[in-house]
């Protein structure tokens, strides 16, 4: 019987590679990571920074899109667009062009 242990074995021996920094950015409050298999890109929200950010597996391919309100979650649409909860709005973002389109706005409650 053999057992795996990390002891002093190099990472390559264990079938692992070294971690690599894909982008050097700091988010205020990062949430909602979404992996896009087609693009090989990770998208995430910086809620308080009011941005959507992305990093590809190839270093140096970092992008971000700013919004007027907090960006609290996102999802990937079949056509490659992102659907984003932005403040009281639901917005589509085309990550290729940066174009946005508001799907709907939720009215703020009275007194808010």
């Amino acid at each position: 019987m053999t057992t795996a242990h990390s002891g002093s074995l190099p990472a390559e021996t264990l079938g692992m590679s070294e971690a690599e920094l894909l982008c050097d950015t700091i988010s205020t409050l990062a949430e909602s990571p979404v992996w896009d298999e087609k693009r090989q890109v990770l998208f995430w929200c910086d809620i308080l920074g009011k941005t959507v950010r992305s990093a590809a597996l190839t270093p140096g391919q970092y992008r971000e899109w700013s919004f007027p309100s907090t960006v609290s979650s996102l999802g990937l649409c079949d056509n490659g667009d992102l659907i984003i909860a932005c403040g009281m709005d639901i917005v589509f973002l085309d990550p290729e062009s940066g174009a946005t389109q508001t799907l709907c706005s939720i009215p703020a409650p009275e007194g808010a």
Side-chain angles (χ1 to χ4, degrees):
M1 181 171 134
T2 60
T3 58
H5 63 81
S6 59
S8 61
L9 295 175
E12 294 79 20
T13 304
L14 299 173
M16 301 181 322
S17 59
E18 290 186 32
E20 186 175 335
L21 182 65
L22 296 178
C23 64
D24 191 10
T25 184
I26 297 175
S27 295
T28 308
L29 178 58
E31 292 285 346
S32 195
V34 172
W35 176 249
D36 184 338
E37 182 70 25
K38 280 186 191 174
R39 291 183 181 105
Q40 296 287 292
V41 168
L42 179 69
F43 292 96
W44 70 95
C45 301
D46 180 356
I47 296 174
L48 299 178
K50 301 177 184 177
T51 59
V52 170
R53 301 172 187 246
S54 74
L57 289 180
T58 306
Q61 292 188 1
Y62 167 81
R63 294 179 66 190
E64 66 179 48
W65 301 266
S66 296
F67 290 86
S69 301
T70 55
V71 179
S72 56
S73 66
L74 61 87
L76 186 60
C77 301
D78 287 339
N79 70 352
D81 286 355
L82 299 176
I83 187 165
I84 300 167
C86 178
M88 299 299 285
D89 299 328
I90 305 297
V91 177
F92 288 117
L93 167 67
D94 176 348
E96 302 307 321
S97 69
T100 59
Q101 177 185 3
T102 301
L103 175 64
C104 67
S105 294
I106 302 164
E110 286 290 322

